[in-house]
Amino acid sequence: METLIEQAKDGDRAAFDEIVRRTYRDVYSLAVRLTGDEEDASDVVQDVYVRAFKGISRFRGDAAISTWLYRICANCSATFLGKRSRQRHDVLDDDAQIADQRPEADPALQAEASVMRVRVERAVRELPARLRAVVVLRDVYDLTHQEIASELDITESAAKVRLHRARRKLQSVLEAVTDAGDGADDEKEAAVDVG
Amino acid sequence: MSGETSMASVTDLGDYLASTRSELEFAWLIGHLNDLRSALFQPPAELLPAIFAQIDRVDRLPWARPGPTRWVTYAGVAASAGALVLASRRRWN
């Protein structure tokens, strides 16, 4: 990957395309989690790579390229959601389909871990966008508070407060779901495609 | 209004102080959230061509390209501008 990055920084388009091929699924997954919508995520991912293409020569290599792309994705998603909320006055799209609900889900791959993963994924999706962004970037993608604050244009302490609120909310939702115990069959069906 | 503000600040402060405590109380949750990273969503088939089409669009603009091309373009534009300024000065002098 290091060689590809150096080639891309020197203007090698084929090298940059290869970086896109190797990373776009990961970036798309983050975009789905941040926007809560697959179509919006596709738009965001296109923006991410256009910005990455323009800025690759400034990539210093202090962090992994995936982290650099996550940061661009966080910034693009925040911009996208900001524009959308101004246009529609609604931040969350409740009709959003998550990938785990596709019919091609294979029941053979059902497992307890997958069930839990779907529960967590759903609980994350139900969070308000501002809380969701912070918990996804910190606890799923391992960005620092400083990086999150910088990309979301908030203070570091605001990032910490949002993270705490998000975790508290998620914990209570998941405890309630786990206590209820049922509905596992639906979740097992839904679990597969995410895995 | 000021009452609401101060209440909000108190709540924020409480959450901030709580957020600085050990992450142990959320260890179970954080473990499950970490697991999500390896669970990739399947992108639509048209996404990759769409990304490349967007990059193609930018790639056609020489000043937006990464690498030395951009600096050669900047240098070319600067040289042209300089030549233009010199030419116009000579003309007016």
Side-chain angles (χ1 to χ4, degrees), chain A residues 160-178:
Chain A
K160 287 178 182 171
V161 168
R162 286 188 195 181
L163 179 65
H164 183 73
R165 287 179 181 166
R167 284 171 173 174
R168 209 172 46 194
K169 209 161 188 166
L170 279 177
Q171 188 120 303
S172 67
V173 168
L174 289 169
E175 278 169 1
V177 171
T178 310

Side-chain angles (χ1 to χ4, degrees), chain B residues 4-88:
Chain B
E4 283 175 22
T5 309
S6 61
M7 278 306 289
S9 302
V10 168
T11 314
D12 283 350
L13 180 62
D15 278 343
Y16 179 71
L17 291 174
S19 72
T20 58
R21 285 204 306 263
S22 163
E23 298 199 342
L24 274 180
E25 64 174 301
F26 294 114
W28 174 85
L29 173 68
I30 293 169
H32 284 296
L33 287 166
N34 283 165
D35 286 346
L36 292 186
R37 187 163 175 176
S38 58
L40 297 182
F41 287 83
Q42 183 61 42
E46 61 273 18
L47 180 57
L48 196 56
I51 294 169
F52 289 145
Q54 290 294 329
I55 298 171
D56 284 343
R57 196 174 52 80
V58 176
D59 203 12
R60 281 196 290 270
L61 311 170
W63 57 86
R65 277 185 210 143
T69 317
R70 179 190 299 186
W71 306 112
V72 170
T73 308
Y74 287 155
V77 170
S80 305
L84 203 64
V85 169
L86 282 175
S88 60

Side-chain angles (χ1 to χ4, degrees), chain A residues 1 5 16 23 46 61 63 97-98 101 133 140 150 161 166 181 189 192:
Chain A
M1 191 57 127
I5 293 166
F16 187 83
T23 57
Q46 290 174 50
Q97 289 287 309
I98 57 176
Q101 289 174 331
V140 184
S150 160
V161 168
E189 278 182 26
V192 180

Side-chain angles (χ1 to χ4, degrees), chain A residues 122-190:
Chain A
R122 279 184 184 163
V124 168
R125 175 160 291 201
E126 282 164 17
L127 287 173
R130 45 194 261 134
L131 299 186
R132 188 173 63 220
V134 176
V135 80
V136 164
L137 294 170
R138 178 77 196 105
D139 288 341
V140 184
Y141 290 89
D142 216 22
L143 264 61
T144 64
H145 289 295
Q146 194 183 11
E147 288 169 337
I148 294 167
S150 160
E151 298 310 327
L152 300 184
D153 200 21
I154 56 177
T155 63
E156 227 178 297
S157 48
K160 287 178 182 171
V161 168
R162 286 188 195 181
L163 179 65
H164 183 73
R165 287 179 181 166
R167 284 171 173 174
R168 209 172 46 194
K169 209 161 188 166
L170 279 177
Q171 188 120 303
S172 67
V173 168
L174 289 169
E175 278 169 1
V177 171
T178 310
D179 288 346
D182 292 329
D185 290 342
D186 287 350
E187 286 168 353
K188 277 179 183 170
E189 278 182 26

